[in-house]
């Protein structure tokens, strides 16, 4: 049987033990808290990656994501090609009064357009102002922390390995093409050069040499002098 009053004694012991310890009070907002790297504050939007696939809005259990878009016609890239259409984002808004911060929209986004931001100072005096449009979501994108560094012992990502192999293959093909290509022929009109790259000594020329040099045949010099 428990001793009568033992529960009260244990509670008082916890109180006394806590009273003897120094309290750790963060002087917020003068001192900002140190948040964990994966804190779920708000959701930032990187709209350049958004293709208006509507996956985030369809998978949201609270239906707090509002997306509007329109279609534009893209002209053919090559002559004779056909025109294509693409979706252009007009509105992307999140109602944070309904959001339960489950992160499903971030997980299902196939193009990495949504990210968690540790920003938490977005309280409003009116609940209607908690619906933030894409301009505000884009501002929060700059508060998203950088991804953690990869483990040095981890396997190289397939995308990087494929890009590296393609670059090495292109460099090897260029080197092989340069090695097998013949050197250009200087032609019959090329001037002989010495070991230092300067023109070598002039050769004996005939009487009709354009340089006007005299030959060794004993004929009349073009300038009028006798050889």
């Amino acid at each position: 049987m428990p001793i009568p009053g033992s529960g009260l004694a244990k509670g008082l012991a916890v109180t006394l033990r806590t009273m003897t310890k120094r309290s750790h009070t963060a002087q917020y907002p003068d001192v900002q808290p140190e948040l964990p790297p994966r804190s779920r504050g708000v959701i930032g939007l990187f709209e350049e990656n958004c293709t208006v696939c509507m996956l985030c809005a369809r998978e949201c259990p609270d239906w707090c994501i509002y997306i509007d878009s329109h279609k534009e016609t893209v002209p053919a890239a090559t002559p004779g090609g056909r025109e294509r259409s693409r979706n252009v984002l007009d509105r992307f808004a999140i109602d944070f009064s309904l959001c339960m911060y489950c992160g499903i929209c971030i997980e299902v986004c196939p193009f990495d357009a949504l990210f968690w931001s540790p920003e938490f100072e977005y309280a409003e005096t009116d609940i209607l102002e908690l619906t933030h449009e894409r301009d505000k979501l884009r501002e929060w994108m700059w508060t998203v922390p950088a991804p953690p560094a990869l483990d040095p012992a981890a396997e190289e990502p397939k995308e990087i390995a494929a890009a590296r192999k393609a670059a090495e293959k292109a460099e090897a093909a260029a080197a092989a093409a340069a090695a097998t290509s013949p050197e250009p022929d200087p032609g019959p009109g090329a001037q002989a050069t010495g070991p230092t790259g300067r023109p070598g000594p002039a050769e004996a020329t005939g009487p009709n040499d354009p340089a006007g040099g005299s030959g060794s045949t004993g004929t009349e010099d073009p300038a009028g002098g006798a050889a």
Side-chain angles (χ1 to χ4, degrees):
M1 295 295 294
I3 302 174
S6 60
L8 178 61
K10 290 181 180 179
L12 292 175
V14 173
T15 303
L16 293 174
R17 187 167 57 251
T18 306
M19 290 176 60
T20 57
K21 293 182 180 180
R22 184 177 180 180
S23 61
H24 298 277
T25 303
Q27 301 298 329
Y28 177 83
D30 297 332
V31 179
Q32 293 292 326
E34 295 182 3
L35 300 175
R38 298 186 64 184
S39 298
R40 296 188 176 188
V42 290
I43 298 174
L45 171 66
F46 190 59
E47 59 184 277
E48 283 79 359
N49 289 353
C50 182
T51 60
V52 200
C53 65
M54 304 294 291
L55 262 178
C56 55
R58 289 199 300 264
E59 297 296 331
C60 178
D62 293 332
W63 292 84
C64 63
I65 300 178
Y66 311 111
I67 300 176
D68 292 333
S69 66
H70 69 277
K71 288 186 176 293
E72 285 186 357
T73 301
V74 181
T78 58
R82 66 182 182 88
E83 296 180 345
R84 298 181 180 272
S85 62
R86 63 167 182 167
N87 293 323
V88 179
L89 183 66
D90 292 331
R91 185 194 183 199
F92 195 107
I94 300 178
D95 187 356
F96 285 97
S97 65
L98 298 177
C99 179
M100 63 180 185
Y101 304 91
C102 62
I104 292 178
C105 58
I106 298 176
E107 296 295 333
V108 301
C109 181
F111 301 105
D112 292 334
L114 299 174
F115 297 87
W116 277 120
S117 167
E119 181 67 33
F120 63 93
E121 297 177 324
Y122 58 97
E124 302 289 347
T125 57
D126 189 355
I127 192 173
L128 298 177
E129 297 179 359
L130 285 175
T131 301
H132 295 289
E133 301 292 335
R134 65 175 182 174
D135 295 336
K136 188 65 176 179
L137 300 180
R138 180 58 185 263
E139 291 180 9
W140 283 333
M141 185 63 204
W142 306 119
T143 63
V144 174
L150 298 177
D151 187 357
E155 183 180 357
E156 186 179 25
K158 296 180 180 179
E159 296 83 1
I160 298 179
R164 179 174 51 79
K165 289 181 181 179
E168 292 176 356
K169 186 176 180 180
E171 292 178 359
T180 57
S181 60
E183 296 183 0
D185 188 7
Q191 189 177 10
T193 57
T196 60
R198 298 180 179 179
E203 297 180 357
T205 56
N208 298 325
D209 184 69
S214 59
S216 57
T217 56
T219 57
E220 185 180 356
D221 185 80

